[in-house]
Amino acid sequence: MLNSVILDNGASTIKVNTVDYLGPRIIHNAIIRGRTDRRNYIGDQLEQCTDFSSLYYRLPFERGFLTNWDVERPIWNRVFEKVLQVEPRDSRLLITEPCFNLANIQEAYDQMIFEEYEFASCYRTIAPQLCTFNDIALLFGDRPGSIPDCALVVDSGYSFTHIVPFFKGRPVSKAIRRINVGGKLLTNQLKETVSFRYYDMMEETHIINQVKEECCYVSQDVYADLDICKRAYQQNTIVQEYVLPDYTNTVRGHVRPKQGRHAATSRQQQDAEQILTMNNERFMIPEILMHPSDIGIQQAGLPEAITQSVNACEPEMHGLLYSNIVLVGGNTLFEGYRERIIHDLQALVPSEYDVRVAQPPSPTEYAWTGGQRFVALSSKPDLQKKFVQRREYLEYGSEICRRKFGML
């Protein structure tokens, strides 16, 4: 009996597990070097780290594409041998790749999977495709199990944001849109902003990422929020004080409850704690997703790119696409993200169309659960039709993968 391994190979984290489990294991897709102990942490070993200051990251992905196999190989070795404890020869692998992956990178994937790891069979596809295998109707409160003819998946991840429309379960390639804004760019932008205004944090990627995840939100009215930020401290409802970790008493920072600036206890605490004041940075950083031109990226923002993607499809599909928009990826976790997209789309979409936007409970794991559902519900002949067997690869090479998986 073959093990089925589902591996959503993201540029920031790997979501992986065998099909028998309810959810994936989340593993950092990086080799990270500690500053104090000079140790290399591979993937999930980062949990053993006690000092997260000035970590040095080696990433297998560059600009959203897997280019450094010298980094990816040890991570995969650890995933298969230590985390999952599976034998690749006795397993089938379902793996994700970026949209519009380059042909030579796809060949490298196939080579690694079939020649180095010797998996029995493999199916390689894009993450939004796996999302469509979930019960999307359930997200909108429709009849469970009913499959919409059209759906639009907005995948905002670490390197890019992709907008992928689907018709009858297949991606409409001419209408796919990419925005060159992802979680990595937002973290780097916050790093630069904080370093310019407060402390030099250019080496503190891990800490700034935590600050972004805990403090940032998507504003529903940017100009109104900017006006609030100009008020005095006590009248400013947006300002937050983030206590940075010292790695002696605390290993993770936290948002401190708002206090009177002149209280004695507050003064003593301020002497002991290093405070990062987050004011308009809280919403201006995620705002880049809505207006990339704010930092000189000449591309449409998310709501506008969604309308461009829909308009590139056949007119008959427009209404169905607008009523089945699914938001996935790490940036979806920003508070107010879904509400802002709905608000902005309603201003752009013709009034005869109903705009429905859904967000799954775990947006980062949605592709993995889709892959799990696909493998669990498919019959053996269906799986054989989709998956490339190792013997087929050894006979025909990457050509058989191109034929079966397509070029998207």
Side-chain angles (χ1 to χ4, degrees):
M1 180 67 181
L2 286 177
N3 263 327
S4 294
V5 176
I6 298 154
L7 194 154
D8 182 5
N9 201 45
S12 171
T13 57
I14 292 174
K15 282 69 71 180
V16 65
N17 221 332
T18 53
V19 75
D20 322 318
Y21 287 85
L22 286 174
R25 293 282 304 270
I26 312 267
I27 291 158
H28 287 280
N29 200 0
I31 296 176
I32 301 161
R33 189 173 172 82
R35 186 188 65 170
T36 48
D37 55 7
R38 300 284 179 192
R39 178 184 163 190
N40 283 334
Y41 297 97
I42 300 173
D44 64 315
Q45 288 180 335
L46 190 64
E47 295 163 8
Q48 301 161 21
C49 184
T50 53
D51 185 351
F52 294 97
S53 59
S54 302
L55 295 177
Y56 175 69
Y57 285 76
R58 285 179 66 208
L59 303 171
F61 278 76
E62 191 177 331
R63 295 179 184 270
F65 296 108
L66 207 173
T67 54
N68 194 340
W69 285 100
D70 291 336
V71 175
E72 192 67 283
R73 192 182 288 109
I75 300 168
W76 280 13
N77 287 344
R78 180 160 178 84
V79 166
F80 299 137
E81 291 169 21
K82 298 284 193 288
V83 179
L84 298 185
Q85 297 178 349
V86 294
E87 176 54 60
R89 289 183 188 191
D90 302 326
S91 307
R92 66 165 71 94
L93 178 69
L94 194 164
I95 187 169
T96 62
E97 63 175 346
C99 292
F100 303 120
N101 203 3
L102 304 173
N104 58 337
I105 297 177
Q106 289 179 328
E107 284 178 25
Y109 271 83
D110 300 334
Q111 210 172 324
M112 287 294 292
I113 290 162
F114 287 118
E115 294 180 29
E116 178 129 348
Y117 290 101
E118 299 183 355
F119 273 95
S121 61
C122 171
Y123 175 45
R124 174 167 47 74
T125 187
I126 57 173
Q129 177 77 69
L130 292 186
C131 293
T132 62
F133 295 134
N134 285 294
D135 195 350
I136 288 176
L138 211 58
L139 296 176
F140 295 100
D142 296 343
R143 184 167 52 82
S146 58
I147 301 166
D149 285 340
C150 298
L152 189 124
V153 178
V154 180
D155 184 1
S156 188
Y158 184 69
S159 307
F160 298 126
T161 296
H162 282 107
I163 296 146
V164 188
F166 287 87
F167 176 66
K168 302 272 189 190
R170 288 178 174 273
V172 184
S173 54
K174 66 175 183 179
I176 295 175
R177 294 292 179 268
R178 170 188 289 171
I179 305 170
N180 296 327
V181 178
K184 182 182 183 181
L185 183 140
L186 299 183
T187 300
N188 288 341
Q189 192 66 27
L190 182 57
K191 228 176 0 182
E192 287 180 26
T193 307
V194 165
S195 299
F196 180 73
R197 294 179 182 177
Y198 306 109
Y199 310 115
D200 181 7
M201 303 285 280
M202 290 306 290
E203 302 294 316
E204 308 298 346
T205 304
H206 186 84
I207 298 172
I208 289 295
N209 203 53
Q210 287 181 343
V211 173
K212 180 190 79 175
E213 288 172 2
E214 290 192 31
C215 296
C216 288
Y217 70 96
V218 177
S219 171
Q220 305 306 308
D221 187 338
V222 175
Y223 293 108
D225 283 356
L226 281 170
D227 285 341
I228 293 169
C229 289
K230 293 173 189 171
R231 295 176 188 168
Y233 178 79
Q234 290 303 332
Q235 284 81 51
N236 186 340
T237 53
I238 289 171
V239 71
Q240 279 186 345
E241 293 181 342
Y242 189 86
V243 180
L244 296 169
D246 57 12
Y247 298 113
T248 308
N249 304 312
T250 55
V251 291
R252 189 178 174 92
H254 62 275
V255 176
R256 190 169 76 173
K258 208 167 175 184
Q259 301 165 348
R261 277 280 167 103
H262 305 294
T265 53
S266 175
R267 183 65 63 199
Q268 288 162 4
Q269 272 186 318
Q270 280 180 351
D271 291 341
E273 295 171 338
Q274 201 169 13
I275 306 297
L276 181 62
T277 305
M278 292 289 288
N279 198 15
N280 65 14
E281 302 88 351
R282 289 188 63 201
F283 58 89
M284 288 309 292
I285 295 300
E287 188 62 23
I288 296 167
L289 284 163
M290 307 300 158
H291 294 103
S293 57
D294 287 356
I295 58 164
I297 297 174
Q298 299 307 318
Q299 286 185 304
L302 206 41
E304 197 182 333
I306 290 171
T307 59
Q308 288 177 1
S309 175
V310 172
N311 289 335
C313 296
E314 302 304 319
E316 298 78 28
M317 294 162 59
H318 292 187
L320 282 168
L321 287 169
Y322 282 128
S323 63
N324 291 298
I325 299 172
V326 180
L327 307 177
V328 296
N331 297 326
T332 308
L333 296 169
F334 282 125
E335 185 189 331
Y337 176 83
R338 174 177 166 269
E339 292 77 9
R340 172 67 181 275
I341 288 175
I342 292 171
H343 176 268
D344 286 10
L345 277 178
Q346 282 169 341
L348 296 168
V349 174
S351 56
E352 65 263 27
Y353 297 133
D354 184 19
V355 175
R356 296 193 309 170
V357 181
Q359 181 179 320
S362 302
T364 52
E365 299 173 12
Y366 201 59
W368 187 92
T369 54
Q372 181 201 39
R373 197 166 185 265
F374 163 68
V375 173
L377 297 180
S378 296
S379 64
K380 200 174 176 184
D382 285 346
L383 290 177
Q384 280 183 331
K385 215 179 289 178
K386 287 274 189 186
F387 280 71
V388 167
Q389 309 301 314
R390 185 164 182 267
R391 55 181 163 73
E392 291 179 304
Y393 173 80
L394 294 176
E395 189 174 344
Y396 302 106
S398 276
E399 183 57 37
I400 185 75
C401 299
R402 271 194 290 275
R403 281 213 305 265
K404 274 204 174 187
F405 306 151
M407 285 299 288
L408 189 61

